[in-house]
Amino acid sequence: MFDVQFMVGETVADTPTPLTIIGTHGREREFRPGTAIKRGELDTLPDVANRLWPNADIPAGLLQHVLIEALQSDLILGDSPEKYSPLGDVRPDSAGRWMADGDLADAAGPLSVRVQTSQFTTAGSPVLEFVVDDEVVSALAFGADAVVIPVRPGVDTVELIESLPGFLDDAGEVLRATVPGADLDELMVWRLYTGDNSLIRDAVSRAARGIHRLTLRGLDRVGILVGRTVKVAAKLLTKEQGDPFAARRLRKDEAQLPDVTETCPRLDELAKQTEAVVAVHGTMSTGLVLAAAIQASNKPLPVITRFEHDTWLPIGRNAETLANLVQARISNSVLFVAHSRGGLVARHAADLLRGRAPRTGESQRTIELIALGTPFLGTPTADVATVGFRGVQALMGGLRWAGLPVVNPLTRLAGLAIKSAPPQGITDMAPRPGYLSGFTLYPPTATRTFAGRVTERGGDHHGFLHGFSRGLMGEVPNDLVVPEESAAGGVEDTTTLECDHFSYLEQRQVQNAIYQSLGRLPHIHAARHHERLQQTAERLPKLTRKPRRVTDRGDYECQDQSPG
């Protein structure tokens, strides 16, 4: 059972009765009649909500959106925003299927995950253990119940407390035994649905004195807020450690996209090329989705390669590695296509390459950069406290394209469970004195930048916001992760799109820009020119040179033998 209170400024506002989704049956008598439904009765959610809140003026489509995502969501297996609503199921068999991944057993990197199938909470929630270098550093268990409540326009803050703490006490004992000596935290996974197109805001909050507090700011439309508690026992990872999720995440994505893996090799495995396209991914992501989108930009194509790098490391170190690899493996022309943080890495690497003299026998290298949602002037989402980092680390660099996942479940769940001080590779993007201060004095050397903007009324088919972006950026136009001005970066050739941070690749302007830039690579330009000549020749009438007489100039008059 959840007690909820709305605040407008410092004033307590009228708060509707919350609806509880009961995860453990047989407890209906603990709730007031009409204020709770069983998880197996989720399909009745719209009818129950309309009876419970008759004056809330909730759009019917909004409730239907909440229901559809709840029914198709799995909090363990979900690999896209549409498939891990806080109202989703937490099934032990899902955890088992997720971990039964033989292909990844030999390439998990320093982080591995196992499901404690021999011990569950009394509410039936499985305990997920996270292991780094053979030490259990974190474990989590989701609450059995979830909450749904309408939010009227003007509400600034939501405060929530779970008033039946049995699950939390029970889960705490299990988790303390699983990770001895760890700190115990209670988190709340939130999702707010608003807007004509059901704009989504996701957030993670930490209980302070037993109360979860969520800042909304500027809510001007009726919304539906859903939430679920998560109990976490975690030891703090050190700031110097690299991304423990990287190796397993890459192997997982390569297994899901075997064709792209084969045709778009990693840059550090690339044979020497005269020209190539380099896909540079964002935070906690891989380059495979970017590479797949470039591949689909029409034929003929150049060599497409991926710079797979550890985004927990400093941006300058990533850029140095990228510049060295390009210098060693691509001799003449390179096109960087980069998303989010990857644009900072590519921009820095491009500056390093331009400052280096060509090697013997090489001409001056030509470099272009297309940056998608890159925080050239920083992003507030990178400058958060330790608990906030749990929310942002899992999703900042994800992309959706052609139905592919935005983020894999390991990264998302580890983002909740792993307790880490924000590493330098993340804090480098903060809009304060630091790494970016050296680049804000002049525009970045980018060929073209794209900035996104999402409003309360939509701007994308499934707007998706992680972490604390709304509360941090307020009314500044942004793509839900990076402010619009920051993504533009002062570049003259900048395009602002109505899309969120995860949907740049789906925009026609971005696809066209990639195609046009590919055409400026010398070999591709020549190949496309030859192809156009062939197509033109096939459309022209066939002419036969049949000499009739020699003219005074010494050439022939020819007879057109084409039909008609």
Side-chain angles (χ1 to χ4, degrees):
M1 182 181 298
F2 300 91
D3 291 332
V4 180
Q5 180 173 275
F6 291 163
M7 304 289 293
V8 177
E10 300 297 322
T11 305
V12 177
D14 292 337
T15 306
T17 302
L19 173 64
T20 302
I21 312 298
I22 307 174
T24 305
H25 298 346
R27 297 169 45 233
E28 291 82 355
R29 284 176 292 181
E30 300 174 5
F31 301 89
R32 282 174 28 206
T35 66
I37 58 175
K38 302 175 184 177
R39 183 161 299 280
E41 301 170 341
L42 265 176
D43 57 342
T44 67
L45 175 62
D47 292 336
V48 174
N50 286 325
R51 287 198 303 270
L52 187 59
W53 312 306
N55 301 317
D57 296 325
I58 304 170
L62 204 57
L63 279 171
Q64 195 63 27
H65 190 171
V66 174
L67 174 61
I68 290 172
E69 292 194 351
L71 292 174
Q72 67 187 17
S73 289
D74 188 311
L75 284 180
I76 294 177
L77 286 179
D79 59 6
S80 70
E82 295 86 344
K83 296 180 181 177
Y84 54 85
S85 160
L87 301 186
D89 282 337
V90 187
R91 293 186 292 266
D93 64 316
S94 296
R97 293 200 309 275
W98 178 48
M99 293 312 304
D101 200 340
D103 294 338
L104 304 182
D106 297 329
L111 176 77
S112 60
V113 184
R114 60 175 175 250
V115 178
Q116 178 60 272
T117 56
S118 61
Q119 189 170 17
F120 296 87
T121 69
T122 55
S125 297
V127 175
L128 275 65
E129 298 177 353
F130 294 79
V131 184
V132 176
D133 295 329
D134 297 324
E135 178 188 9
V136 180
V137 298
S138 178
L140 69 80
F142 285 97
D145 302 334
V147 63
V148 182
I149 189 167
V151 186
R152 66 176 178 80
V155 171
D156 296 322
T157 306
V158 177
E159 295 184 349
L160 180 145
I161 182 170
E162 189 167 25
S163 55
L164 290 176
F167 160 75
L168 299 176
D169 293 341
D170 166 59
E173 293 180 8
V174 174
L175 294 171
R176 282 194 180 95
T178 304
V179 195
D183 293 329
L184 195 64
D185 287 328
E186 179 191 331
L187 307 180
M188 175 69 72
V189 179
W190 301 88
R191 173 164 288 185
L192 178 65
Y193 295 81
T194 59
D196 292 340
N197 296 328
S198 298
L199 178 68
I200 304 304
R201 305 181 198 168
D202 280 345
V204 178
S205 67
R206 178 187 181 188
R209 295 185 296 276
I211 298 175
H212 291 276
R213 184 172 288 103
L214 180 68
T215 300
L216 300 180
R217 278 195 187 176
L219 182 66
D220 61 1
R221 321 196 85 203
V222 172
I224 300 292
L225 183 66
V226 302
R228 190 186 208 124
T229 50
V230 186
K231 200 75 169 183
V232 181
K235 297 179 180 178
L236 182 68
L237 296 185
T238 62
K239 195 172 183 178
E240 291 74 23
Q241 180 171 319
D243 178 2
F245 324 128
R248 187 182 179 103
R249 178 173 57 247
L250 178 59
R251 182 60 64 90
K252 182 72 172 178
D253 286 358
E254 288 179 339
Q256 290 180 324
L257 295 169
D259 293 342
V260 181
T261 301
E262 182 178 353
T263 56
C264 303
R266 293 170 48 150
L267 181 56
D268 56 355
E269 298 174 351
L270 183 70
K272 185 79 172 184
Q273 303 291 326
T274 57
E275 63 185 32
V277 181
V278 182
V280 188
H281 62 78
T283 308
M284 305 286 287
S285 187
T286 70
L288 284 151
V289 172
L290 265 174
I294 298 166
Q295 267 193 333
S297 62
N298 214 327
K299 302 288 190 292
L301 289 169
V303 171
I304 301 169
T305 182
R306 301 171 281 123
F307 179 51
E308 304 291 0
H309 57 291
D310 187 338
T311 58
W312 281 27
L313 299 179
I315 291 175
R317 192 185 306 180
N318 292 149
E320 183 78 29
T321 302
L322 175 56
N324 292 342
L325 286 172
V326 169
Q327 188 170 27
R329 299 175 188 274
I330 306 171
S331 58
N332 292 338
S333 301
V334 60
L335 167 63
F336 294 115
V337 179
H339 175 237
S340 195
R341 178 189 184 278
L344 297 175
V345 176
R347 184 271 302 276
H348 193 161
D351 286 345
L352 291 174
L353 288 167
R354 291 187 180 104
R356 297 177 182 178
R359 294 182 177 181
T360 303
E362 291 183 351
S363 59
Q364 185 66 44
R365 187 178 287 101
T366 61
I367 303 170
E368 288 193 20
L369 166 61
I370 295 177
L372 313 174
T374 292
F376 289 113
L377 306 181
T379 171
T381 59
D383 197 10
V384 294
T386 299
V387 68
F389 181 59
R390 289 174 170 174
V392 302
Q393 67 179 348
L395 299 168
M396 276 186 63
L399 273 168
R400 72 165 65 85
W401 183 78
L404 296 171
V406 173
V407 64
N408 69 52
L410 171 67
T411 305
R412 176 175 51 81
L413 290 171
L416 289 173
I418 299 297
K419 189 172 186 178
S420 171
Q424 186 176 339
I426 305 299
T427 58
D428 276 348
M429 294 183 287
R432 53 182 170 75
Y435 169 80
L436 289 176
S437 60
F439 289 97
T440 56
L441 300 178
Y442 53 89
T445 49
T447 304
R448 191 165 186 183
T449 62
F450 287 88
R453 175 185 289 192
V454 175
T455 68
E456 284 293 334
R457 299 181 182 277
D460 190 44
H461 71 279
H462 192 297
F464 174 60
L465 170 62
H466 71 82
F468 304 91
S469 299
R470 178 69 177 187
L472 288 169
M473 288 189 277
E475 301 308 310
V476 174
N478 62 81
D479 68 2
L480 304 179
V481 176
V482 177
E484 179 185 328
E485 182 182 8
S486 180
V491 175
E492 183 176 343
D493 192 356
T494 295
T495 302
T496 297
L497 306 169
E498 288 194 0
C499 75
D500 63 32
H501 193 68
F502 312 97
S503 301
Y504 284 98
L505 293 179
E506 296 181 338
Q507 309 308 310
R508 178 63 63 184
Q509 297 98 315
V510 171
Q511 297 166 7
N512 289 341
I514 292 173
Y515 178 78
Q516 293 164 6
S517 293
L518 292 178
R520 287 192 289 272
L521 295 172
H523 287 83
I524 301 306
H525 176 78
R528 288 182 179 174
H529 180 66
H530 179 69
E531 188 176 83
R532 285 193 296 271
L533 289 177
Q534 284 187 319
Q535 293 171 348
T536 301
E538 291 172 359
R539 290 195 300 268
L540 290 176
K542 293 183 179 179
L543 300 178
T544 302
R545 282 186 177 273
K546 186 175 182 181
R548 297 175 62 191
R549 66 181 181 86
V550 179
T551 68
D552 293 339
R553 297 187 304 274
D555 54 5
Y556 293 106
E557 285 184 350
C558 298
Q559 181 179 357
D560 185 354
Q561 299 295 315
S562 61

